[in-house]
Amino acid sequence: MKRMMIWIILLSGMVQGAFAQNLEIKGTVRDARDKKILEFAHVVLQTMDSSFVAGTTTDVKGHFLLNKIKKGSYILTVSMLGFQTASVSLENISGDIFLGEIYLNDDAVSLEGVTVSASAQTSHADKKIVFPSDRQVKASGNGMELLQQMMLPRVQVDLLNDEIQMVGNGVVQVRINGVKVEQDEIKALNPSDIIRIEYHDNPGLRYGNADIVLDYIVRRPDTGGSFGLDMAQGINAMWGEHDVRGKINHKHSEWGASYRIGPRDFYGMKRNNEEEFHLADGTTLNRVEIGEPSHARLFMHNLSVNYSYQKPDKYLFNATFRYRNNHQPHWDYRGVLMNKADPEDKVDMVDLSGSAYQAPALDLYYQRDLRHSQTLVFNVVGTYNQTKSTRIYQESRQEQLLTDVGNRVDGDKYSVIGEAIYEKKLTSGNRLSGGLRHNQSFSDNHYTNGHSYKTRMEQMESSVYAEFKGKVRKLDYALGVTVNRSSYSQRGADADYVRYTVNPRLTLFYALPGESSLRLKSTMGNVTPSLGELSAVDQAIDSLQIQRGNPNLRSYMSYYTELNYEFREGPFYVNALGAYEYQPDAIMDEKYLEGNKIIQTWDNQRNWQRVVASVHLRIGPIRDILQLSVDGGVNHYRSNGNAYAHRYTNGWCDANLSVTWKHWSLLYMVMTNWNWFKGETMTGGENIQGIQLGYRQKDWMIGLRVFNPFTDNYKQETENWNRYASFRRSNSIKESVRLFIATISYNFSFGRKFSAGPKRVNNADNDSGVMRTGK
């Protein structure tokens, strides 16, 4: 009996101990700005003397659960990259605790000195927030190289041409702390200053025609400043990219400037071309152009000067002056034209082009934060585009000139873009926004080609939009509509038009179990003709062809639907996309006979359709050393003109491999030709391979690149399938094969850090307003 009582006492103690250790602590973590749930926030429970007790992360609903907790006093901390850490004191708990909602405030300051061992990402209906890893930062010399290391879906970094591109011929818009910048300024960033990239792969209506927006959120000192230098110089060819930048900060003000030069001087540029002409008299001419090495030379230099004044949570004023200049004195082709039916029938050919382009612009921006989570934004951008170009095309036999074409264009374009936006954050993470936008441009162009033509054109586009973002359980949604008015007039001609359109937009985002999601996007947009296409001017291309603008072009609608699936599990990330685009009355090229000449022009054709299927796979980092990404897909085009119908299918694949070890980094990239087909013309992409080796020591990074090391036939191909004048053309530059480039980066900064206020709109005018000519 006594032994039984001992067992009962022991069993009772064990039961009580088990229950004592089975307390639960629950809660939900949200973003204090918009009340959205925060996935994968770190929750840690410690004793009062900071000893670790338990830890977990929030799930896809923002919930967390800590169980098997003993009675006692604790401190619970919640942290996440990009947010201030929240702490909750739990004293003498003796039962289950439900903490309700814990809000984290955004704070770039909290990231100062934090080492991120693996790239972190959170996905939302309209964007992904991606934090670079410490490994990726150390392997990069500037902001563009960091983007290459992060391997985001649908984004390509072409280090040969120094460009950030979107897979699929889309528009990429780049910003720093919300302020619209040129890509040169992204390259000028110090990677260690970049906190995160907000990757908008479904930009809202306020971003205009952008397909992808990359917003670099960077640290900003309130005193002190920074200086940086980035140089890349070809060893065996004249290819260069050189950038210098600096910033000074004092209290609420920041002054900054950056300057970039890009010289190119090649003597191995060559064009091969095969054309087939069916002329009005019934004859057929199949002509082959056999290219010879020729001269290509250009010099780019861009300047940006910026001043901003900011009082956090009150207002931001930003003024930026930009100057872009591209001088291209030589873009020459030489060769022999051979009659394929009679190889002895040959003529010598020269096609010499030169151009100069400059565009100063002033961007003024003001943002005012009001009470009750309201924001007003005003933005005005004025731009002057000046374009000068010349082209000489000649055919000769035994020094006898048979064809002599000379074209000259002098263009001046003035434009003003104005925009006003209102935003209101509502309860439960909902948001309402609306805005007005107006773009007005005047273009005066002078064309000389044996005759003299002057065109004076005016184009206006006004729009008003409203957008609402909300959430119902696991479903995020966004509804928006834009009412657009576009008009065009060519002064001195009866070619005016005015068109009104209503463009709705819908996005649905659904979070699936685990780290996966589905997103459906459907848009309707208005596409207006460019001023160059509208110019009622004839320009000779060669002895048989004339290019002519069409002042009767009309704007048209574009309907786009996209389904996107995203999945993450450990080191694996998959992003799959399927899309369909339909454009009735699309402006596309066409050719027709006029006497003994072939006229090349544009018109509103029946329709254009595109079907896209693509997948992005990323693996890593593995042991914080290796990361691999592979992109691939298929494009199918249907181009139905008024007098033609074409079908074209193209498959493509890109890959990136990054390896880091201590101070060393190695990157291998390959890009295959993502081809674009519209109207009767296929424009081929580039096949580029690149290897980059780098070594970092404190603020310095030196490296060596080699482009196309395993091929000797780098080229870009273009085809036209017109029944009167078809061609198949390839352009190549010998110096781009096995091109070795030495690189050096230096970044120095001083001062205390704090986060900059975001700028919410981005306007720019990059349309020169002139019609280009040439093959």
Side-chain angles (χ1 to χ4, degrees):
M1 185 70 179
K2 186 176 181 179
R3 183 177 297 178
M4 182 178 294
M5 289 298 297
I6 292 173
W7 278 107
I8 291 173
I9 293 172
L10 290 173
L11 182 62
S12 175
M14 292 174 63
V15 171
Q16 289 178 3
F19 277 103
Q21 294 179 23
N22 201 31
L23 300 181
E24 292 184 345
I25 301 175
K26 300 178 181 179
T28 303
V29 180
R30 294 184 179 272
D31 188 334
R33 295 172 302 174
D34 52 19
K35 307 302 185 292
K36 288 188 176 181
I37 58 96
L38 292 177
E39 307 173 55
F40 318 118
H42 298 283
V43 182
V44 176
L45 188 68
Q46 299 173 307
T47 62
M48 290 298 183
D49 60 0
S50 300
S51 298
F52 177 83
V53 177
T56 186
T57 58
T58 56
D59 60 19
V60 295
K61 296 182 179 179
H63 301 328
F64 67 87
L65 170 64
L66 299 172
N67 52 25
K68 297 182 180 179
I69 306 301
K70 296 180 181 179
K71 294 181 181 180
S73 297
Y74 302 96
I75 295 176
L76 182 137
T77 61
V78 183
S79 62
M80 187 172 181
L81 285 171
F83 294 86
Q84 293 180 354
T85 298
S87 299
V88 179
S89 179
L90 304 173
E91 297 184 1
N92 300 318
I93 63 171
S94 57
D96 294 343
I97 299 293
F98 177 62
L99 295 174
E101 295 179 337
I102 300 174
Y103 294 97
L104 299 186
N105 292 303
D106 179 75
D107 186 8
V109 184
S110 65
L111 290 171
E112 179 68 20
V114 173
T115 297
V116 188
S117 61
S119 180
Q121 174 177 313
T122 60
S123 296
H124 304 272
D126 58 343
K127 66 183 177 183
K128 298 172 177 49
I129 299 176
V130 189
F131 296 90
S133 68
D134 183 59
R135 180 194 68 84
Q136 292 167 342
V137 170
K138 289 182 178 179
S140 307
N142 55 58
M144 193 172 290
E145 291 183 5
L146 179 62
L147 183 65
Q148 175 87 350
Q149 290 283 343
M150 296 176 74
M151 302 181 187
L152 299 178
R154 302 170 66 193
V155 174
Q156 293 175 326
V157 179
D158 183 348
L159 295 178
L160 178 59
N161 296 302
D162 216 45
E163 292 179 346
I164 301 172
Q165 304 170 341
M166 174 185 167
V167 176
N169 206 35
V171 177
V172 178
Q173 190 179 95
V174 290
R175 302 186 294 164
I176 298 174
N177 287 336
V179 178
K180 197 270 182 184
V181 298
E182 300 292 334
Q183 293 194 10
D184 305 335
E185 297 169 70
I186 295 298
K187 189 176 178 181
L189 289 175
N190 184 346
S192 61
D193 286 340
I194 299 172
I195 300 167
R196 64 182 184 270
I197 295 179
E198 296 190 357
Y199 167 65
H200 299 252
D201 56 348
N202 179 32
L205 292 175
R206 68 187 185 194
Y207 299 109
N209 65 339
D211 297 287
I212 286 179
V213 175
L214 299 172
D215 192 359
Y216 285 70
I217 307 302
V218 303
R219 300 177 178 91
R220 169 179 166 176
D222 63 349
T223 57
S226 63
F227 171 80
L229 180 70
D230 194 88
M231 301 181 68
Q233 181 60 53
I235 298 173
N236 56 335
M238 175 48 72
W239 181 99
E241 283 290 340
H242 311 297
D243 304 85
V244 61
R245 66 272 182 187
K247 287 185 178 180
I248 295 293
N249 298 80
H250 180 66
K251 295 183 178 179
H252 301 297
S253 294
E254 179 179 83
W255 295 265
S258 64
Y259 179 66
R260 171 233 180 178
I261 58 174
R264 310 279 196 274
D265 200 358
F266 304 136
Y267 288 86
M269 188 170 74
K270 187 166 65 173
R271 180 177 71 195
N272 292 321
N273 189 23
E274 182 174 348
E275 299 173 294
E276 185 172 313
F277 300 101
H278 297 270
L279 304 177
D281 59 5
T283 61
T284 297
L285 174 62
N286 194 333
R287 190 165 62 176
V288 178
E289 177 184 332
I290 304 170
E292 299 173 354
S294 304
H295 190 195
R297 183 182 181 187
L298 63 93
F299 187 85
M300 300 167 286
H301 63 98
N302 299 341
L303 171 70
S304 176
V305 181
N306 173 271
Y307 170 77
S308 65
Y309 186 88
Q310 173 198 341
K311 284 194 173 181
D313 301 322
K314 290 185 178 180
Y315 58 83
L316 166 67
F317 171 75
N318 186 88
T320 302
F321 172 79
R322 297 185 179 92
Y323 177 76
R324 298 175 58 202
N325 185 292
N326 189 328
H327 181 53
Q328 186 174 292
H330 292 282
W331 203 258
D332 302 342
Y333 295 102
R334 301 177 185 271
V336 174
L337 296 179
M338 179 187 71
N339 187 343
K340 199 170 183 180
D342 182 7
E344 298 301 320
D345 182 11
K346 299 178 181 179
V347 297
D348 296 318
M349 181 277 304
V350 295
D351 191 348
L352 314 177
S353 298
S355 65
Y357 171 81
Q358 60 178 338
L362 180 62
D363 184 336
L364 300 176
Y365 174 91
Y366 179 75
Q367 175 183 317
R368 180 74 182 185
D369 295 327
L370 306 175
R371 292 184 301 173
H372 309 300
S373 301
Q374 300 178 95
T375 302
L376 283 174
V377 174
F378 301 95
N379 184 225
V380 177
V381 180
T383 306
Y384 167 61
N385 290 276
Q386 183 187 71
T387 303
K388 296 181 181 295
S389 65
T390 59
R391 177 175 179 255
I392 297 173
Y393 177 85
Q394 295 177 339
E395 298 174 13
S396 61
R397 181 184 288 117
Q398 297 177 353
E399 298 184 356
Q400 181 183 1
L401 192 61
L402 304 177
T403 301
D404 188 10
V405 174
N407 294 318
R408 178 180 175 87
V409 180
D410 293 290
D412 295 287
K413 181 187 176 187
Y414 308 84
S415 70
V416 176
I417 302 173
E419 186 163 19
I421 289 177
Y422 168 80
E423 290 184 342
K424 166 68 175 174
K425 295 180 182 178
L426 306 173
T427 58
S428 303
N430 298 338
R431 179 177 301 202
L432 176 66
S433 64
L436 299 167
R437 188 173 191 267
H438 180 74
N439 182 356
Q440 185 150 350
S441 60
F442 303 89
S443 181
D444 295 329
N445 300 323
H446 186 194
Y447 298 87
T448 306
N449 51 15
H451 301 280
S452 181
Y453 303 92
K454 289 186 178 181
T455 62
R456 297 173 60 83
M457 297 177 290
E458 180 178 357
Q459 192 171 29
M460 292 182 291
E461 188 165 355
S462 303
S463 61
V464 56
Y465 83 87
E467 189 170 38
F468 179 81
K469 295 182 179 180
K471 184 177 180 66
V472 179
R473 296 182 180 179
K474 293 184 178 181
L475 180 68
D476 287 270
Y477 64 92
L479 297 170
V481 63
T482 300
V483 179
N484 188 82
R485 178 189 184 275
S486 58
S487 64
Y488 158 78
S489 64
Q490 182 160 321
R491 285 164 281 178
D494 298 326
D496 297 357
Y497 76 80
V498 177
R499 183 173 182 181
Y500 292 87
T501 56
V502 178
N503 308 329
R505 179 188 182 100
L506 169 67
T507 298
L508 302 175
F509 178 86
Y510 189 80
L512 298 172
E515 298 183 50
S516 59
S517 62
L518 271 176
R519 186 184 66 201
L520 176 68
K521 178 175 73 173
S522 185
T523 65
M524 292 171 54
N526 182 54
V527 184
T528 57
S530 70
L531 293 180
E533 293 169 334
L534 291 163
S535 299
V537 174
D538 284 7
Q539 293 199 89
I541 298 174
D542 54 29
S543 57
L544 297 173
Q545 301 179 90
I546 294 174
Q547 179 172 277
R548 177 180 296 166
N550 182 0
N552 297 313
L553 294 175
R554 308 179 310 278
S555 61
Y556 61 93
M557 298 299 297
S558 178
Y559 304 89
Y560 180 80
T561 299
E562 171 188 296
L563 182 63
N564 185 277
Y565 171 72
E566 186 176 73
F567 170 81
R568 290 198 306 271
E569 180 66 37
F572 296 96
Y573 172 78
V574 178
N575 188 291
L577 178 143
Y580 173 71
E581 187 171 9
Y582 176 66
Q583 296 179 352
D585 301 318
I587 295 174
M588 298 190 291
D589 58 290
E590 70 175 22
K591 299 177 184 179
Y592 61 88
L593 294 173
E594 187 177 272
N596 61 348
K597 299 290 185 179
I598 298 171
I599 307 300
Q600 174 185 307
T601 187
W602 300 269
D603 203 355
N604 291 94
Q605 310 290 345
R606 286 185 293 163
N607 62 73
W608 177 78
Q609 302 173 61
R610 176 169 67 114
V611 180
V612 178
S614 66
V615 63
H616 170 86
L617 170 65
R618 187 172 67 233
I619 303 173
I622 299 174
R623 295 184 179 272
D624 205 30
I625 295 175
L626 183 144
Q627 182 168 294
L628 169 70
S629 73
V630 179
D631 293 79
V634 176
N635 309 306
H636 178 70
Y637 302 92
R638 293 175 172 262
S639 194
N640 299 312
N642 300 324
Y644 58 79
H646 300 301
R647 306 290 181 265
Y648 178 74
T649 302
N650 162 244
W652 60 276
C653 181
D654 298 339
N656 290 273
L657 174 67
S658 174
V659 181
T660 57
W661 178 254
K662 295 183 178 179
H663 296 282
W664 294 91
S665 62
L666 178 68
L667 175 71
Y668 173 74
M669 56 164 285
V670 57
M671 294 167 52
T672 65
N673 52 329
W674 201 109
N675 295 342
W676 181 264
F677 190 93
K678 193 167 187 179
E680 298 192 282
T681 303
M682 186 280 291
T683 304
E686 294 182 285
N687 290 310
I688 297 178
Q689 297 179 49
I691 300 175
Q692 178 170 293
L693 178 66
Y695 178 82
R696 174 178 289 279
Q697 184 64 39
K698 295 183 179 179
D699 296 328
W700 293 87
M701 184 170 183
I702 60 174
L704 179 67
R705 299 177 192 165
V706 56
F707 288 102
N708 303 311
F710 310 119
T711 182
D712 59 0
N713 64 341
Y714 166 80
K715 57 187 178 182
Q716 287 183 280
E717 296 184 332
T718 307
E719 296 181 21
N720 183 275
W721 297 356
N722 182 261
R723 57 178 173 167
Y724 298 117
S726 62
F727 64 78
R728 180 167 183 167
R729 181 182 305 142
S730 65
N731 293 37
S732 62
I733 298 177
K734 182 181 179 181
E735 286 87 347
S736 63
V737 176
R738 300 185 184 94
L739 172 62
F740 288 85
I741 297 172
T743 66
I744 183 169
S745 298
Y746 173 70
N747 292 289
F748 172 75
S749 62
F750 58 93
R752 187 167 59 87
K753 310 290 185 179
F754 67 90
S755 60
K759 178 180 174 183
R760 288 179 164 80
V761 298
N762 314 279
N763 296 312
D765 183 1
N766 298 311
D767 177 14
S768 65
V770 303
M771 179 172 63
R772 293 177 173 85
T773 185
K775 294 190 177 183

